[in-house]
Amino acid sequence: MTLITDTSRRADTESPLIEILAERWSPRSYDKTAVIDEATLTTVLEAARWAPSASNMQPARFIVARRGSASFAKITDALMGFNRAWADTASVLVVNVAKLSIDETRENPWARYDVGQAVAHLSIQAQHEGLHTHQMGGFDGAAIAAAFNLTDDQAVVTVTALGVLGNAEDLTPELREREIAPRTRLPLAELLLEND
């Protein structure tokens, strides 16, 4: 068996990016023994706190669960599909929640978008700290909401795995194939609906 030692997954970009963006990717292989120190974890969460939000409403809320905790187990129990096969090796799982209302009579139409911005900032700060993140949509949101007593005004948007990169050889063959496959993106020209 050949060990995979080249951990760089640098994006082949059409235009130069700052290094932290070019190097960011979403692994499934995490070091199941690594512990993120509290200062680093706080820094990563602080980046999320300072993300832009519409009218500075700051609708992003987070459930932070360290591996081995009861909260971590509740989250992994609610994961679905392939996520169940690898996410329990991450050091931390973060449930990203949107506070949906502005007040008793008005919904915040940008709440989920703002949570996405907060998680993007968290991801880039994590990369800067030498960590990796992987966003997950495969989970039972109702189960997470029930497990953490979320209100109707709190919607689970995504779950983020956070940790230290592990060895792809520790994954199942199917997941390993995904882990080492070439990174691809649509050409920029296909994303521009108009570029006048």
Side-chain angles (χ1 to χ4, degrees):
M1 181 184 315
T2 304
L3 288 180
I4 299 163
T5 56
D6 179 11
T7 60
S8 174
R9 303 277 288 150
R10 192 177 194 292
D12 182 16
T13 62
E14 293 178 23
S15 187
L17 299 180
I18 60 173
E19 199 60 23
I20 214 75
L21 289 174
E23 286 288 339
R24 190 222 58 81
W25 65 290
S26 302
R28 294 171 185 86
S29 54
Y30 287 93
D31 180 342
K32 62 184 175 183
T33 65
V35 175
I36 299 172
D37 68 82
E38 290 302 312
T40 302
L41 183 55
T42 299
T43 296
V44 168
L45 294 167
E46 184 73 353
R49 183 171 82 98
W50 282 97
S53 70
S55 299
N56 198 28
M57 286 185 278
Q58 303 171 51
R61 301 293 185 269
F62 306 98
I63 298 167
V64 181
R66 292 149 188 85
R67 188 187 329 99
S69 71
S71 294
F72 193 93
K74 289 177 186 178
I75 298 166
T76 56
D77 286 348
L79 296 177
M80 301 185 316
F82 283 129
N83 296 333
R84 280 186 160 266
W86 62 266
D88 63 343
T89 61
S91 300
V92 175
L93 293 175
V94 180
V95 178
N96 307 298
V97 177
K99 180 182 179 299
L100 299 175
S101 65
I102 296 172
D103 56 32
E104 295 79 22
T105 62
R106 295 180 296 162
E107 183 176 301
N108 179 352
W110 305 282
R112 287 178 175 86
Y113 176 84
D114 286 349
V115 169
Q117 289 206 83
V119 174
H121 279 65
L122 179 152
S123 298
I124 297 305
Q125 186 68 42
Q127 189 75 25
H128 175 74
E129 302 294 331
L131 302 171
H132 286 273
T133 57
H134 188 112
Q135 309 305 321
M136 293 178 273
F139 57 83
D140 182 338
I144 292 174
F148 293 98
N149 300 310
L150 299 183
T151 67
D152 290 342
D153 190 42
Q154 297 171 316
V156 178
V157 179
T158 57
V159 176
T160 302
L162 177 64
V164 174
L165 188 63
N167 191 328
E169 293 297 333
D170 294 335
L171 295 169
T172 64
E174 191 170 6
L175 287 173
R176 184 180 320 117
E177 184 177 323
R178 288 180 174 204
E179 191 84 342
I180 63 175
R183 295 180 65 198
T184 61
R185 288 291 191 273
L186 293 172
L188 182 59
E190 288 187 33
L191 305 181
L192 305 178
L193 299 177
E194 188 68 53
N195 191 21
D196 208 358

